[in-house]
Amino acid sequence: MTTQERFARRRKKLEEKLTRLDLQEARTLQREQAHDEQIARDLAGVPGHFAHGLNFYKLFWVFFLCCFLGVVIETVFCWIASGRLSQRTGLVWGPFNLIYGIGAVLLTVCLHPFIGKSDRWIFIGGSIIGGAFEYFCSWLQETVLGTVSWDYTGYPFNLNGRINLLYCLFWGALALVWVKEVFPRLNGFIERRVSKTYGVVISWVLIAFMLANSLVSGAAVLRQSQRYEGVPATHAWQQVLDDRFPDSRLAKIYPSMVRVEE
């Protein structure tokens, strides 16, 4: 084979490689463009829908769906990490946890204006908001119920064992994924899949359920604290809670919750 032939073969291979790279780049750009267009459509939603924009109904549906999705994601994560299934719910009826729902609403309301801004500001804002929210939840639970469900005392850069730097950074990363990817898709899902005709009625049925679920859950844990302190069941509601939610059942619902010893 002559030098000219070898040169021609090498040139042909290089041209084929460049062609493949050009095709790959074109496909990548096409996917990114389609992704951006889909995100834009999801954010725009459906004008005229009862939950269009960031109104009360939209925020409730974000809250409700994230109460459920948060439990599913945490359950799967813990199962992968530990190899066993464990209860991760926060309410006595159904796979719901208020912390995920309220956290999602907070991130949505506070960070929605930053959707088109730099990722850096979303990350920083999410870290601060998530850390403050987690600290407040821990303080409120310990103050009102005398129990805690997490303790970061052994972690570096923790604040009173309620939060730590690592988990604040996790909140920042979560906020970035939420604002850029999850919320736009959830927004589109709500406005395209939740019935425009019956959505308001369905919303209020779910609102009533979540309120009742939250009140009963809080009362059950409060009554458990009373039992621990030796308070007898002198009222009908106390007796009902003792019968329906004894310590053995609450231990299954809230396996991570421990009492703070004074």
Side-chain angles (χ1 to χ4, degrees), residues 201-261:
V201 175
I202 296 172
S203 296
W204 282 105
V205 170
L206 293 177
I207 289 170
F209 167 72
M210 292 301 286
L211 282 174
N213 201 354
S214 301
L215 290 173
V216 172
S217 300
V221 176
L222 178 62
R223 178 56 194 152
Q224 184 185 43
S225 297
Q226 292 179 344
R227 289 196 298 268
Y228 179 82
E229 297 170 357
V231 178
T234 56
H235 300 283
W237 68 270
Q238 294 172 318
Q239 187 60 55
V240 170
L241 291 173
D242 287 348
D243 294 338
R244 299 290 180 86
F245 301 102
D247 292 347
S248 57
R249 182 177 179 185
L250 291 180
K252 294 179 180 179
I253 298 175
Y254 306 113
S256 301
M257 187 173 67
V258 297
R259 179 159 296 281
V260 177
E261 300 293 342

Side-chain angles (χ1 to χ4, degrees), residues 15-164:
E15 289 175 347
E16 291 174 350
K17 186 176 182 179
L18 288 172
T19 300
R20 289 195 300 269
L21 290 174
D22 288 340
L23 288 174
Q24 290 176 1
E25 183 179 3
R27 294 192 189 101
T28 300
L29 290 174
Q30 188 176 18
R31 286 195 298 268
E32 291 178 352
Q33 183 179 6
H35 171 270
D36 292 343
E37 291 174 352
Q38 183 62 49
I39 292 296
R41 285 194 296 270
D42 288 336
L43 279 174
V46 181
H49 190 270
F50 79 96
H52 185 62
L54 283 186
N55 63 11
F56 168 80
Y57 293 107
K58 171 63 62 57
L59 294 177
F60 168 73
W61 277 93
V62 168
F63 164 79
F64 178 77
L65 291 174
C66 288
C67 282
F68 170 74
L69 293 175
V71 171
V72 173
I73 293 172
E74 185 180 7
T75 300
V76 172
F77 175 80
C78 293
W79 175 58
I80 293 174
S82 64
R84 59 186 179 85
L85 290 174
S86 58
Q87 183 80 293
R88 314 306 299 183
T89 58
L91 299 177
V92 294
W93 297 326
F96 302 102
N97 192 314
L98 296 179
I99 290 180
Y100 294 118
I102 297 173
V105 171
L106 275 177
L107 292 178
T108 300
V109 172
C110 295
L111 299 179
H112 188 265
F114 296 90
I115 285 182
K117 305 294 183 180
S118 169
D119 293 353
R120 177 176 65 256
W121 296 113
I122 297 175
F123 179 85
I124 294 173
S127 298
I128 295 173
I129 294 168
F133 175 62
E134 190 172 10
Y135 189 98
F136 173 76
C137 290
S138 175
W139 172 84
L140 184 66
Q141 180 181 347
E142 183 175 350
T143 302
V144 176
L145 302 174
T147 62
V148 295
S149 295
W150 62 87
D151 184 4
Y152 301 133
T153 302
Y155 287 72
F157 305 107
N158 76 84
L159 182 60
N160 298 328
R162 302 188 192 281
I163 59 173
N164 68 83

Side-chain angles (χ1 to χ4, degrees), residues 180-208:
K180 292 292 187 177
E181 295 293 336
V182 180
F183 173 74
R185 299 176 188 278
L186 194 62
N187 183 77
F189 172 82
I190 293 170
E191 297 196 29
R192 290 182 174 85
R193 300 298 180 182
V194 179
S195 171
K196 178 180 177 179
T197 304
Y198 305 106
V200 173
V201 175
I202 296 172
S203 296
W204 282 105
V205 170
L206 293 177
I207 289 170

